[in-house]
Amino acid sequence: MGARESHMSQSDLFSWSMEQDPVLRSTIVSVLLLDTDPDWDRLVRTIDRSTRVVPKLRDRLVTVPLGLAPPRWTSDPDFDLSWHLRRGVLPEPADLSAMLEFARTEAMTAFDPARPLWRLTLLSGFGDGCALVLRVHHSLTDGVGGIRIATEICDLDRAGTDRGRPPELASDGGSGLRDILAWNWSVGFDLLRGAITATLPTARRTVTHPVRAVRDSAAVATSLVRLVRPVTTTLSPVMTGRSLGRRLAVFEVPVEGLHRAADAAGCTMNDAFLTAVLIGLRDYHHRHGVEVDRLRLTMPISLRAADDPLGGNRITLARFALPVDITETADLMRAVDAVVARWRREPATPLSGAVAAALNRLPVGLVATMLEHVDFVASDIPGSPVPLYLAGARIDRMYAFAPTIGTAFNVALTSHAGICCIGINADTAAIPNLAIFTDCLAAGFDTVLRLSGEPAPDGGVKPTAGASQSAPTGSVPAG
C-alpha cells in the first residue's frame, strides 16, 4: 500500500480545533445492541483487522512547529489494542437506561491526544444480550464514513465472512521541513489546478455569455457569504442555555412507515424525519407557552464519493432556518423539502474545504458564537437494510449520538434492518427535562407516520430516556 494521508484535512482540523471549547467537543458515540455476547477472541481479531483497513485507527496526532501545516497523522509507536478495546458489566438494573448512562459519560470525556482517538467497550449483562459502545472523534470519520467502515467489519450471517489476510500497514508520510514544504506545495498546486479548472470555462463564458458569467460568479460569492455568515441570535426563546452536561435518549420508528409518509407528500425520508422533529419542537414550545415561527438547524450534507478513502470527514455543515408554524403535516414537509433542496444546491457547497480553511484561521471563541446560536443539529445516516452480525452476534439496534457542536441538541436517525434508530444527545442547560422533550419528539413522529395510511406502532412511538433523567434540575450531570 502507498503512504498514508499525512496531514489532517481542513474539515478534520476544524473538528479537532473545536476541542479548545469543551461545549463544542466533537465526539461521536455509537451504541450497538447485540442479541448475544460476541465471541471475544473473534471480536479482537475483527477489530484488529479494522485498524489495518483504516490506518488512522492506529495513528495519533503530532503538531507541526509554528503551525506551518495542520497536525500530522503518524503511527502510534505504543499502539495497544487492549487500551482501545475493553469490556465490562453494566451495573444493576442492567437496562437501556443504564447503558445510556454509560454512553453519555463517554460523549463528554476528552480524548487522550497521545493516543488514537477512539475506544470500543463491550458491556455484558444487558438482558439476554449485550451492548457495544464506540467513542470516536469526529476528525476520524463522519456518519456515512462510519457506516462504510462498519461494512468492512460486520458480516451477513453468524458464521462470518472470510475476508482474507488483513492488509499490510501503510507507511507514514515524511516529516520535518521537507514534509511541510511538500504539504504546502500540494495544497497550493490543488488550489491552482482548481482555479485553472474553474477559470477556463469562466473565461470562455465571459466571451460567449458575459452576462451569465458575471451572474454565476456573483452567485458563488453570495453563496459563500450564506455559508459562513455569523449567526448572532437564537430563534428558540426556550432552548437557550449551553453547558457541558449531556443526557441521551432513544426511540425507534419503522423505516417503511416513514418512507410511505414521505411518498404520500412527494418528499424524501429525510424530509419526513426533519418534519417529525419540527412538529415535536413545536409541541415542546407550546408546553412552555411559546409560539415559534422558525427554528435554525445545522444539517450535515455528505460530499463523500464512492472512491473516497475510509475515514475522515467528507461533509459540509449547512446552517439554515426551517418553518415550524405550518399546521398541515404534508404542507410542512413540502416546505421543508423546498428549503433543504435549495441548500443542497448551494453553489459554494463544493468549496467546503476552502470554507473550513477560512474558519480554521478565526479564533475559536468567534466560531463558537456562530455555532452556539443555532437551535439544533439533525443527521440522517442511511445504514444497512438487512441484518448484520459482529463476531457471531446479531446487531439488533444501531444508535448514533452525534455531537451537539454548541446547539441545544443533536438528533440522529440511523436506519438499520427496517428500523429507524433515533438517538438524541441533549444539552441539559437547554433541555432540563429530557423525558418531556423526548415525548414531544416521539409524538411528532407519530403525527408524520399517520400520513403513511398505516396504523402507528402499538401505543405509538415509545421513547427511552437516560437513567439520570429523574434527577432534579439542579443536579450536576456527569461529564
Side-chain angles (χ1 to χ4, degrees), residues 92-108:
E92 294 294 338
D95 55 11
L96 190 56
S97 292
M99 182 275 297
L100 292 176
E101 178 66 15
F102 177 87
R104 82 183 183 100
T105 60
E106 292 286 271
M108 283 307 292

Side-chain angles (χ1 to χ4, degrees), residues 238 282-291 430 432-433 436-437:
V238 173
R282 184 172 64 202
D283 181 27
Y284 183 72
H285 283 77
H286 281 170
R287 295 194 188 198
H288 286 79
V290 172
E291 301 289 332
N433 192 316
I436 292 176
F437 177 81

Side-chain angles (χ1 to χ4, degrees), residues 385-450:
V386 299
L388 296 176
Y389 297 81
L390 183 60
R394 187 183 67 234
I395 301 173
D396 287 337
R397 297 292 184 270
M398 186 180 293
Y399 297 103
F401 303 98
T404 63
I405 53 175
T407 68
F409 68 94
N410 188 318
V411 56
L413 180 156
T414 307
S415 58
H416 176 73
I419 298 294
C420 293
C421 301
I422 312 294
I424 302 169
N425 181 7
D427 187 321
T428 55
I431 301 170
N433 192 316
L434 184 57
I436 292 176
F437 177 81
T438 310
D439 283 341
C440 290
L441 290 194
F445 278 87
D446 275 334
T447 300
V448 167
L449 287 174
R450 294 191 194 107

Side-chain angles (χ1 to χ4, degrees), residues 58 214 335 356 410:
R58 286 177 173 259
V214 172
N410 188 318

Side-chain angles (χ1 to χ4, degrees), residues 136-413:
V136 60
H137 195 272
H138 213 318
S139 62
L140 282 181
T141 189
D142 52 41
V144 175
I147 294 296
R148 285 182 57 181
I149 292 172
T151 63
E152 292 287 335
I153 299 172
C154 298
D155 303 308
L156 296 177
D157 54 45
R158 290 191 194 275
T161 305
D162 183 4
R163 301 181 185 275
R165 295 181 58 186
E168 296 293 329
L169 290 174
S171 60
D172 282 333
S175 59
L177 180 60
R178 179 178 296 180
D179 171 61
I180 294 171
L181 292 174
W183 180 85
N184 282 277
W185 169 263
S186 173
V187 171
F189 179 77
D190 288 344
L191 288 174
L192 178 62
R193 181 175 58 187
I196 292 173
T197 302
T199 300
L200 289 178
T202 301
R204 286 194 293 268
R205 284 198 304 271
T206 302
V207 174
T208 58
H209 302 283
V211 174
R212 189 174 71 183
V214 172
R215 186 173 64 241
D216 290 347
S217 298
V220 172
T222 304
S223 178
L224 279 170
V225 171
R226 282 195 292 267
L227 281 178
V228 301
R229 74 179 185 272
V231 176
T232 57
T233 58
T234 306
L235 294 179
S236 169
V238 173
M239 306 182 303
T240 56
R242 300 294 184 263
S243 71
L244 296 184
R246 298 291 182 269
R247 298 207 198 283
L248 310 180
V250 299
F251 57 89
E252 59 191 49
V253 177
V255 168
E256 184 62 25
L258 207 57
H259 264 306
R260 288 181 180 274
D263 289 342
C267 298
T268 68
M269 195 169 84
N270 184 64
D271 299 326
F273 162 55
L274 291 176
T275 300
V277 173
L278 291 173
I279 293 173
L281 288 172
R282 184 172 64 202
D283 181 27
Y284 183 72
H285 283 77
H286 281 170
R287 295 194 188 198
H288 286 79
V290 172
E291 301 289 332
V292 286
D293 298 329
R294 301 183 306 153
L295 290 171
R296 185 179 288 111
L297 87 156
T298 293
M299 189 181 79
I301 298 176
S302 178
L303 305 176
R304 186 173 294 276
D307 58 349
D308 280 337
L310 295 174
N313 281 277
R314 301 291 189 276
I315 60 172
T316 188
L317 298 177
R319 297 168 298 142
F320 52 90
L322 287 173
V324 182
D325 57 349
I326 301 175
T327 56
E328 291 297 326
T329 305
D331 291 341
L332 177 58
M333 195 183 303
R334 284 188 281 267
V336 167
D337 174 74
V339 175
V340 171
R342 185 165 65 247
W343 276 91
R344 289 188 185 278
R345 295 193 302 266
E346 277 291 323
T349 295
L351 304 177
S352 60
V355 172
L359 293 175
N360 285 334
R361 284 158 178 77
L362 297 177
V364 170
L366 178 60
V367 176
T369 60
M370 295 170 59
L371 297 175
E372 291 174 1
H373 289 296
V374 177
D375 297 301
F376 68 102
V377 187
S379 309
D380 178 4
I381 307 163
S384 172
V386 299
L388 296 176
Y389 297 81
L390 183 60
R394 187 183 67 234
I395 301 173
D396 287 337
R397 297 292 184 270
M398 186 180 293
Y399 297 103
F401 303 98
T404 63
I405 53 175
T407 68
F409 68 94
N410 188 318
V411 56
L413 180 156

